[in-house]
Amino acid sequence: MELAKSFEPADIEKRWYAHWESAGYFKAGDAPAAPAYCIMLPPPNVTGTLHMGHAFQHTLMDALTRYHRMSGDNTLWQPGTDHAGIATQIVVERQLDAQGISRHELGREKFLDKVWEWKDQSGSTITHQMRRLGTSPDWSRERFTMDAGLSKAVTEVFVRLYREGLIYRGKRLVNWDPVLGTAVSDLEVVSTEEDGFIWEINYPLEDGSGFMTVATTRPETLLGDTAVAVHPEDERYAHLIGKQVRLPIAERSIPIIADDYVDREFGTGVVKITPAHDFNDWQIGQRHKLVAISVLTLDAKMNDLCPTEYQGLDRYVARQQLLDDLQAKGLLVSAKPHKLMIPRGDRTHAVIEPMLTDQWFMSMEGLAKQGLEAVESGELKFVPENWTTTYRQWLENIQDWCVSRQLWWGHRIPAWYDEDGNFYVAANEADAVKQAGGKPLTQDNDVLDTWFSSALWPFSTLGWPEQTPELERYLPTSVLVTGFDIIFFWVARMV
């Protein structure tokens, strides 16, 4: 037999890996008296491929798993992939766009068939790469976040949390991506400094005695203003608090209010308040019981609450027209170059629009306290320890989580509506119909944020809500090897 001149590992590794896997060497242990050791693979997006960071952390997980397996422990390295709602839908929509087809032309069911087809074709890329790396997870237990068992767990959690008052539906201001046509979380928004302008605009006092000069970086939202605000201790404007100004272009009267939020040093010290299109203005509006007037459509065009000549215009086209009209009326005082932070969607790079929409939210205050207690008690440890600070800061400043997304790919929200708009949350349509007294119902079109199902990964992959032997043996898990960038997205939410 002639030996090869150089070592060619591909054939050897392929042959031996197949032998190891088929022989069941990677399977989770079930020895009655042995200690348990479990690592959950952070489920990579089904859209993706592995990169060097994955190779590094997979090596760490594999070394730990093999050590404990050889030590005689019942050892489980749980593999699987994430359905990656937004990322996957974008990929399939782009494929359809290349064929001149939109998902709306296909309809929801046919579009989802296309997504599943794509998942079946491309979803094995990552698991193939892991096998080529020689990793040793229990492939017989491989899971996908949209599997039937995992979907059952997602529905069960949603229904339970709703019944406990921790999930609720409400009209709130959210980050809206006008390209994707969905709400996105704060963590999916990237703010970068860009060159812009600050405009000063005269708002005539209602009594005709003069003007208040307002400074703004977003003149197109002027049409939704419901107040102008000054600082309560700003002597320049103290005598005007409580009076009215005439809103330019829209030609309606709005009040002059005082609020500590206003920075006396910014611009003229007078700011426009648009509760439906700015997060800080929303808070001011809540304090002063102001009406929120939304003047944008979900694709960032001016809506029918605007004057006729603006309706249907893109927000930035409307901005220029409004500035031209203000100039013609002698109300545009100045335009000064100004550096400002622009929020963009991390996937589409579209400028995010604060939008007042009906969404599902999870109350986070009590859950965040539990997460903090786990760290304080030493039950949960970060290595290196400095990441504890990052985890703690996020949970201490957390807001209620908007868990609904206006997508088609994902876990559809288990809520059904009758013709009057009343909704019924249930595990299935039959239970919802019973709650509704037999009325015909329509299911909510929204799906859950991908991170909602990912947060259940340690439970759902082990069989919860069923009380399985694996759940009893391997939960809580032993070690989590993951990137610092998903401490907020995933780690904190699992805890």
Side-chain angles (χ1 to χ4, degrees):
M1 177 181 171
E2 187 177 346
L3 291 175
K5 292 181 180 178
S6 61
F7 176 55
E8 300 291 345
D11 290 340
I12 296 170
E13 289 177 355
K14 186 176 180 180
R15 176 162 54 88
W16 278 109
Y17 192 91
H19 173 69
W20 294 340
E21 187 177 344
S22 61
Y25 294 153
F26 304 157
K27 285 194 173 182
D30 59 0
Y37 186 85
C38 179
I39 297 179
M40 289 283 161
L41 175 74
N45 287 357
V46 72
T47 54
T49 55
L50 299 186
H51 51 66
M52 286 299 293
H54 287 118
F56 172 65
Q57 68 180 32
H58 284 40
T59 301
L60 296 178
M61 286 185 273
D62 194 54
L64 290 167
T65 298
R66 289 176 184 270
Y67 171 80
H68 283 274
R69 191 183 287 136
M70 290 188 289
S71 298
D73 296 348
N74 286 326
T75 305
L76 169 61
W77 184 9
Q78 174 64 54
T81 48
D82 190 280
H83 67 279
I86 290 176
T88 303
Q89 181 155 322
I90 286 175
V91 168
V92 178
E93 283 200 61
R94 284 176 180 164
Q95 290 176 350
L96 292 172
D97 286 343
Q99 302 169 37
I101 303 170
S102 77
R103 68 179 166 104
H104 298 287
E105 289 169 353
L106 271 185
R108 186 175 192 130
E109 296 308 316
K110 288 184 178 178
F111 176 77
L112 291 178
D113 288 342
K114 291 287 185 186
V115 181
W116 280 107
E117 283 175 22
W118 180 86
K119 186 264 178 187
D120 290 340
Q121 292 168 9
S122 303
S124 60
T125 301
I126 285 172
T127 54
H128 175 71
Q129 288 178 311
M130 287 183 65
R131 285 178 166 93
R132 286 290 293 114
L133 282 170
T135 58
S136 63
D138 184 350
W139 290 114
S140 69
R141 296 188 53 82
E142 184 181 355
R143 298 291 186 267
F144 176 56
T145 49
M146 292 280 283
D147 285 347
L150 277 67
S151 296
K152 179 182 177 182
V154 169
T155 299
E156 178 73 18
V157 168
F158 187 95
V159 173
R160 285 194 192 186
L161 293 178
Y162 173 76
R163 289 174 179 167
E164 292 171 12
L166 292 173
I167 284 181
Y168 62 93
R169 184 164 173 80
K171 189 178 282 290
R172 295 265 297 274
L173 212 57
V174 296
N175 299 308
W176 186 265
D177 187 318
V179 172
L180 283 177
T182 182
V184 293
S185 74
D186 290 345
L187 301 173
E188 294 164 302
V189 177
V190 179
S191 293
T192 54
E193 188 177 75
E194 299 183 18
D195 292 325
F197 288 90
I198 183 168
W199 290 272
E200 293 184 355
I201 302 167
N202 276 341
Y203 285 40
L205 289 164
E206 184 71 77
D207 61 12
S209 63
F211 301 92
M212 291 199 79
T213 304
V214 172
T216 181
T217 58
R218 298 206 59 201
E220 67 278 9
T221 62
L222 171 152
L223 300 171
D225 289 1
T226 52
V228 296
V230 299
H231 193 279
E233 296 174 5
D234 193 330
E235 295 177 358
R236 295 173 294 175
Y237 306 114
H239 64 291
L240 296 173
I241 295 169
K243 293 188 176 183
Q244 302 269 322
V245 292
R246 194 75 179 161
L247 184 60
I249 310 298
E251 295 301 332
R252 52 186 169 80
S253 296
I254 58 175
I256 302 166
I257 63 172
D259 195 278
D260 289 332
Y261 167 75
V262 179
D263 180 357
R264 284 176 279 188
E265 306 304 317
F266 176 77
T268 61
V270 184
V271 295
K272 59 195 279 304
I273 304 300
T274 321
H277 294 291
D278 183 276
F279 288 102
N280 292 315
D281 290 5
W282 170 260
Q283 296 297 331
I284 293 171
Q286 294 295 293
R287 289 196 290 273
H288 294 270
K289 297 182 171 54
L290 299 175
V291 175
I293 301 174
S294 181
V295 295
L296 289 171
T297 62
L298 297 180
D299 56 353
K301 292 181 170 61
M302 309 310 288
N303 67 19
D304 56 9
L305 293 180
C306 302
T308 308
E309 62 270 27
Y310 294 94
Q311 293 175 17
L313 295 180
D314 175 82
R315 52 185 164 170
Y316 297 119
V317 174
R319 171 185 289 184
Q320 189 56 54
Q321 180 167 329
L322 190 136
L323 290 170
D324 291 343
D325 292 345
L326 289 169
Q327 181 80 54
K329 290 176 179 289
L331 297 175
L332 183 60
V333 178
S334 66
K336 301 173 184 175
H338 180 69
K339 297 279 189 185
L340 65 162
M341 300 301 289
I342 300 292
R344 293 184 180 272
D346 64 352
R347 298 194 182 276
T348 64
H349 307 296
V351 176
I352 295 297
E353 194 65 55
M355 196 73 77
L356 192 60
T357 57
D358 289 306
Q359 302 285 349
W360 292 91
F361 295 89
M362 185 186 294
S363 178
M364 297 302 295
E365 185 178 0
L367 296 172
K369 285 180 181 176
Q370 293 178 35
L372 288 166
E373 287 167 4
V375 166
E376 299 303 330
S377 67
E379 186 179 2
L380 177 68
K381 291 186 176 69
F382 281 86
V383 180
E385 191 178 350
N386 62 287
W387 290 110
T388 306
T389 304
T390 302
Y391 171 88
R392 187 183 289 116
Q393 285 175 344
W394 188 66
L395 286 181
E396 286 173 349
N397 296 287
I398 200 167
Q399 302 292 316
D400 283 1
W401 176 14
C402 176
V403 296
S404 47
R405 296 290 181 269
Q406 289 64 52
L407 303 171
W408 286 354
W409 173 244
H411 294 99
R412 199 163 173 182
I413 288 175
W416 285 261
Y417 297 82
D418 63 24
E419 292 177 350
D420 298 323
N422 303 307
F423 61 83
Y424 309 88
V425 174
N428 53 61
E429 186 173 2
D431 288 350
V433 169
K434 285 181 185 176
Q435 289 183 37
K439 294 178 186 176
L441 302 177
T442 304
Q443 189 172 357
D444 197 309
N445 283 318
D446 292 354
V447 300
L448 287 163
D449 181 3
T450 296
W451 297 100
F452 188 96
S453 53
S454 301
L456 305 179
W457 187 248
F459 306 91
S460 59
T461 54
L462 296 176
W464 189 92
E466 307 303 326
Q467 295 304 307
T468 64
E470 293 85 1
L471 190 69
E472 184 177 348
R473 180 177 296 124
Y474 291 114
L475 198 70
T477 60
S478 309
V479 173
L480 181 67
V481 181
T482 191
F484 66 85
D485 53 329
I486 56 174
I487 289 174
F488 322 110
F489 281 119
W490 190 50
V491 177
R493 285 167 174 164
M494 282 194 295
V495 175

